[in-house]
Amino acid sequence: MDLRYWLPRAVDVVERWGEQFGPYQPHSSHLVSEEAFESAYDEFAKRMENNYPFFHPRYIGQMVKPPHPAAVVGYVTAMLYNPNNHAEEGGPATTEMERECVAALAGMFGMRDHLGHLTTSGTMGNLEALYVAREAHPGKGIAFSSECHYTHERMCQVLGVRGHKLPVDALGRLDLDALDHVLATGSVGTVVVTTGTTGLGAVDPVHEVVPLARKYGVRVHVDAAYGGFYSILARSDDPQGLDRRPWLAIPDCDSVVVDPHKHGLQPYGCGAVLFSDPHAGRHLMHDSPYTYFTDSDLHLGEISLECSRAGAAAAALWLTLKLLPLTPDGLGAILAANRRAATRWADLIDTSPSLRLYQRPELDIVTYFPTVPVQTLSAIDTATDRLLRDSMAAAQDPVYLSMLRTDADAFVRRHPQTARDAGSARVLRSVLIKPEAEGYLDQLHPRVEELAVEAAAPVGQTGFWW
Ligand SMILES: *Cc1c(COP(=O)(O)O)cnc(C)c1O
């Protein structure tokens, strides 16, 4: 797919459609000359050089990658019409596309019934799910693990609901004993489970949480913002080493959030929230004096906390899913490659003299740290920081990584031989969200090893000044 062909084609499509409405005179107030635009654009393009190469396999930092070209063309084409998926009359075509995409996402999770819509982000989807949770269990709190996304705690504050932060097990998953304990107090109405934590990619035991929650009459919300698309593999014949059980329990939960702008190849501005009760929308119903005059069905805006939303986001996702559907051979092939890359890299790190695994990856996030001469938390933290900065600043062969702060207890639990001389230690975290990582590992791994050796050497022996 060549954008040089398809982007002008988008302009043609919209112009040809517009011609049927007859000519009109554009107002002079917003006309700009080609010269003025040229100089503004030059400045803009220059400013955009200040970026990290998210597209390149040497970037394995955060969960970021550019959208698929199909998403770009879908988005740009729809944006030229600029539909607003708040209501049917804001964009009939993209509203239909949104409903189809949401149905496809529900199918991906194996949900038997659903009500849902796209959101601008995972955070907004989670806010809406927790808002509905509060309405369903007024006066009750919300429980989540210390490894869940930091916005859950913040959203509890926004909603005026008490948040109960629970400990995790040795692999960063919600601790069931702690959950049982807090549920027994009767003060919790909803528990949040995460299938793929943002830090470690840890998958909470949804299949064990659901029966526990049901015993106490408590709701379960699944934050699958990051990991959700792994449901394709988990439900397939070849789950690539994933434990299927948490994923198979998602249809038994009350709500789920997934971010197509992470693994779903979409540009930012595309999350989704789905409820398994098709009547969950009653908690969100409202009357707007301005809109809703074309459809007797529920408008997307009637079941959503947000008002305006880009119809273009639905268009981009719809066009992408036409080409890469939510099947093992479609989008699943990308996730399988990410998984293979993560497992293989973990194996390489496991036998490397200069690197150590923090823990084995459950999805595609690999966490590790440089081998240091004397294993103390402070030495690991210092070497990690050095490695991260050196690897990005290298004039030749840079690598872009990210860090994760681990507390002393969590670290020593995994690596008991570590001297606990600090309250925490940062470790390296690489998100292998691009399938290209698989083919690039043979370059990447030796390079990160080399950087690790330099980062762990005593100051003054690396040939650099500090
Ligand atoms: C990314 C993420 C979020 C937040 O989603 P945004 O789209 O960044 O707002 C929430 N939960 C998890 C598990 C995430 O990985």
Side-chain angles (χ1 to χ4, degrees):
M1 264 198 75
D2 187 354
L3 289 178
R4 278 183 213 81
Y5 171 77
W6 288 105
L7 287 177
R9 180 81 182 267
V11 179
D12 286 346
V13 163
V14 179
E15 275 187 359
R16 226 173 302 134
W17 171 79
E19 277 160 12
Q20 63 181 305
F21 303 102
Y24 70 101
Q25 196 57 47
H27 196 266
S28 60
S29 56
H30 57 74
L31 294 181
V32 296
S33 70
E34 287 293 319
E35 301 76 58
F37 186 72
E38 172 103 42
S39 92
Y41 191 79
D42 282 349
E43 185 185 339
F44 163 78
K46 191 84 206 134
R47 297 270 295 253
M48 288 306 290
E49 286 175 16
N50 180 20
N51 254 307
Y52 297 105
F54 304 129
F55 68 97
H56 201 282
R58 66 171 72 247
Y59 180 93
I60 45 168
Q62 305 291 354
M63 29 187 76
V64 192
K65 60 177 168 183
H68 191 277
V72 173
V73 175
Y75 200 101
V76 170
T77 309
M79 186 179 59
L80 293 170
Y81 299 78
N82 205 22
N84 183 338
N85 274 17
H86 166 240
E88 186 93 28
E89 89 251 17
T94 49
T95 294
E96 249 173 54
M97 290 178 193
E98 177 162 335
R99 291 204 172 106
E100 290 171 32
C101 290
V102 169
L105 292 170
M108 173 179 84
F109 288 117
M111 296 172 81
R112 293 171 283 274
D113 218 338
H114 74 276
L115 178 82
H117 58 87
L118 300 181
T119 59
T120 51
S121 68
T123 303
M124 286 309 300
N126 281 324
L127 174 63
E128 185 169 317
L130 297 190
Y131 169 82
V132 168
R134 185 192 73 182
E135 297 303 291
H137 288 300
K140 301 266 178 154
I142 294 174
F144 44 79
S145 90
S146 58
E147 286 284 327
C148 84
H149 198 263
Y150 73 95
T151 49
H152 288 287
E153 192 166 12
R154 187 190 279 177
M155 290 311 155
C156 284
Q157 285 166 7
V158 170
L159 293 167
V161 171
R162 170 139 185 240
H164 299 261
K165 192 185 284 192
L166 304 177
V168 289
D169 69 10
L171 292 171
R173 303 173 301 197
L174 181 64
D175 183 295
L176 291 169
D177 290 337
L179 179 65
D180 197 359
H181 191 76
V182 74
L183 294 187
T185 67
S187 54
V188 166
T190 301
V191 52
V192 176
V193 286
T194 307
T195 51
T197 57
T198 316
L200 296 166
V203 180
D204 283 339
V206 186
H207 55 296
E208 291 174 288
V209 170
V210 170
L212 199 55
R214 294 306 178 224
K215 185 172 113 192
Y216 293 103
V218 161
R219 286 175 74 87
V220 182
H221 168 63
V222 186
D223 183 356
Y226 181 64
F229 288 93
Y230 274 102
S231 188
I232 300 172
L233 295 188
R235 300 181 69 85
S236 77
D237 296 335
D238 182 8
Q240 299 286 336
L242 297 188
D243 180 356
R244 295 169 187 272
R245 295 170 304 168
W247 305 93
L248 295 181
I250 292 179
D252 300 328
C253 300
D254 297 282
S255 49
V256 54
V257 157
V258 60
D259 261 351
H261 67 206
K262 285 175 179 160
H263 274 299
L265 309 172
Q266 300 308 295
Y268 283 117
C270 193
V273 60
L274 294 94
F275 296 91
S276 49
D277 171 9
H279 305 296
R282 69 183 177 277
H283 295 299
L284 292 152
M285 291 291 234
H286 64 106
D287 264 325
S288 162
Y290 314 109
T291 49
Y292 316 135
F293 56 78
T294 56
D295 196 343
S296 55
D297 277 348
L298 281 181
H299 286 276
L300 294 169
E302 282 179 287
I303 51 164
S304 165
L305 279 185
E306 293 175 88
C307 182
S308 295
R309 272 188 309 104
L317 182 57
W318 188 89
L319 193 52
T320 308
L321 295 184
K322 275 269 148 195
L323 298 144
L324 293 161
L326 302 172
T327 58
D329 297 334
L331 198 72
I334 297 175
L335 296 157
N338 296 349
R339 248 318 269 168
R340 286 192 300 267
T343 354
R344 195 170 146 242
W345 200 21
D347 291 343
L348 290 170
I349 291 174
D350 236 357
T351 55
S352 167
S354 48
L355 293 168
R356 298 201 58 188
L357 266 187
Y358 176 67
Q359 73 173 52
R360 279 204 78 79
E362 245 186 291
L363 299 179
D364 55 21
I365 301 177
V366 184
T367 47
Y368 53 101
F369 54 91
T371 309
V372 288
V374 181
Q375 190 158 317
T376 65
L377 289 178
S378 62
I380 289 162
D381 185 80
T382 306
T384 294
D385 183 56
R386 248 168 129 189
L387 197 163
L388 184 98
R389 285 189 291 141
D390 282 4
S391 60
M392 294 207 286
Q396 296 281 310
D397 210 0
V399 179
Y400 301 86
L401 311 166
S402 70
M403 290 192 290
L404 174 71
R405 183 178 294 284
T406 65
D407 74 32
D409 288 340
F411 196 104
V412 174
R413 206 165 168 184
R414 291 165 175 85
H415 301 280
Q417 69 284 27
T418 315
R420 187 197 277 262
D421 65 341
S424 66
R426 289 169 295 175
V427 298
L428 292 152
R429 164 178 169 271
S430 287
V431 183
L432 304 187
I433 197 173
K434 295 188 293 280
E436 287 78 12
E438 196 181 13
Y440 202 70
L441 267 188
D442 293 330
Q443 274 162 273
L444 198 62
H445 176 65
R447 178 62 179 139
V448 175
E449 278 188 311
E450 183 177 63
L451 288 156
V453 170
E454 285 170 14
V459 176
Q461 292 186 13
T462 60
F464 294 107
W465 280 102
W466 287 98

